[in-house]
Amino acid sequence: MTTVTSPITSPIDLFSDHTLQNTEAVFAELRETAPVVHLPANDAWAITRYEDVREALGDPATFSSKQVAFNPQMNQILSGTSLAADPPQHGDLRAVLTDNLSPRAMRKMKGEIYAKADALVRELAGRGSFEGMTDMAVAFPVQIVLDLIGVQGELRAKILPWGEAAFNLLGPLNERAQASFPIAGELFKWTHEEMKGEDLAEGSIGRNIWEAAERGEISHESFGYIVHQILAAGMDTTITTIGNLLVQLGNHPEQYAQLRENPSLAAAALAEVLRTKTPAPVFGRVTTREVEVAGQTIPAGAQIALLYGSGNMDPRKFENPEIFDITRNPVDHLGFGYGIHACAGQGLAKLEINGLLEALIRHVESFRIGEVTQRLNNFTRPLATIEVLDIVTAEVPATA
């Protein structure tokens, strides 16, 4: 006789205003409640602890990406993208992305990106204070990514609000998502119906993907999907992480001083920011079969919520996880995901952020964070404003 264990449930709504404003505290509550928690408010099963989240990410045959969003309309829209595809289709779609965002391609871009980062930080530091989101976290990746895609003219001003709206649609169809539908619809219409290869700058990633479609390596329909993915994901999560980097270093001046003394810690510092402030803390999956996770049976066809942000703060994995420590070097954090769906654009994100970070170390001896405000989004955790104050410029560049 089989014993069926009743699932542990919680009234928590992963997409309520309270959860979005208090994600770390809510995730801690869920994580310490159980490794798997059923959430009737979201009709989902939340996997809360590091090892279980990572194991699920490494098993796409059981945890399918066909329900990466938390509403059927968006999952249908995403069908045909690498984000929402399983093997073998996933490999073909992913290859086009990785070919254009490969380490070799990134190396070619490094000099130009770092030079732009240096010029921006030097100018902002000279002001004595600046608005961290508008002046740095938004301005820099938007310029870089739109140039890479080859977006030209008046469309450039529309891309950022389009991307943010698209991320709202990855949650349930709540008020935020409903308000975002018309704005995101403009992005879908442009990428899937109106965009032409000749509209994108020659030599750009967008033009290269168009040419791959022309050669028959991918479908023309996939061309729109892939460009849409790069535009949406290549900016918003990077913008969020740059904002978090400023706040974490500004609020931990002893850590920033240590980083200036030892700039080789830059990569470790970024990893620690991604661990402590995961930019996209929840991703969806759907089970293809009945599966047991940490002793809890989850039925086939169940909506899964993989809590990346909770796993990154799991004390079973990371000692004293609430402490921001740039010497920790958590290379196995879940900030970029794991497995076949690990963020394809992470090389570009790291290049942009490390460029800014190295420039900050060079030109800024110290700074202070003033008021910080948050903007609520169903999927990411963006900041709206960051006051960067009392900047002391570096008289002598930090030693590399």
Side-chain angles (χ1 to χ4, degrees), residues 9-12 14 19 25-39 46 48-49 307 310:
T9 65
S10 169
I12 285 171
L14 291 176
T19 297
V26 171
F27 279 13
E29 179 183 339
L30 286 171
R31 187 173 59 246
E32 297 314 311
T33 296
V36 179
V37 182
H38 185 238
L39 304 176
T48 68
R49 296 178 185 172
L307 304 191
S310 177

Side-chain angles (χ1 to χ4, degrees), residues 2-80:
T2 304
T3 301
V4 179
T5 304
S6 298
I8 295 172
T9 65
S10 169
I12 285 171
D13 176 357
L14 291 176
F15 304 96
S16 69
D17 287 5
H18 175 76
T19 297
L20 300 188
Q21 291 165 338
N22 302 277
T23 300
E24 291 167 25
V26 171
F27 279 13
E29 179 183 339
L30 286 171
R31 187 173 59 246
E32 297 314 311
T33 296
V36 179
V37 182
H38 185 238
L39 304 176
N42 306 121
D43 191 21
W45 298 74
I47 299 179
T48 68
R49 296 178 185 172
Y50 178 91
E51 293 297 344
D52 300 315
V53 173
R54 186 176 166 106
E55 187 172 336
L57 288 170
D59 183 8
T62 301
F63 295 91
S64 167
S65 292
K66 291 182 178 177
Q67 283 182 205
V68 71
F70 289 80
N71 68 81
Q73 290 92 326
M74 193 61 176
N75 283 318
Q76 184 175 1
I77 289 169
L78 289 171
S79 176

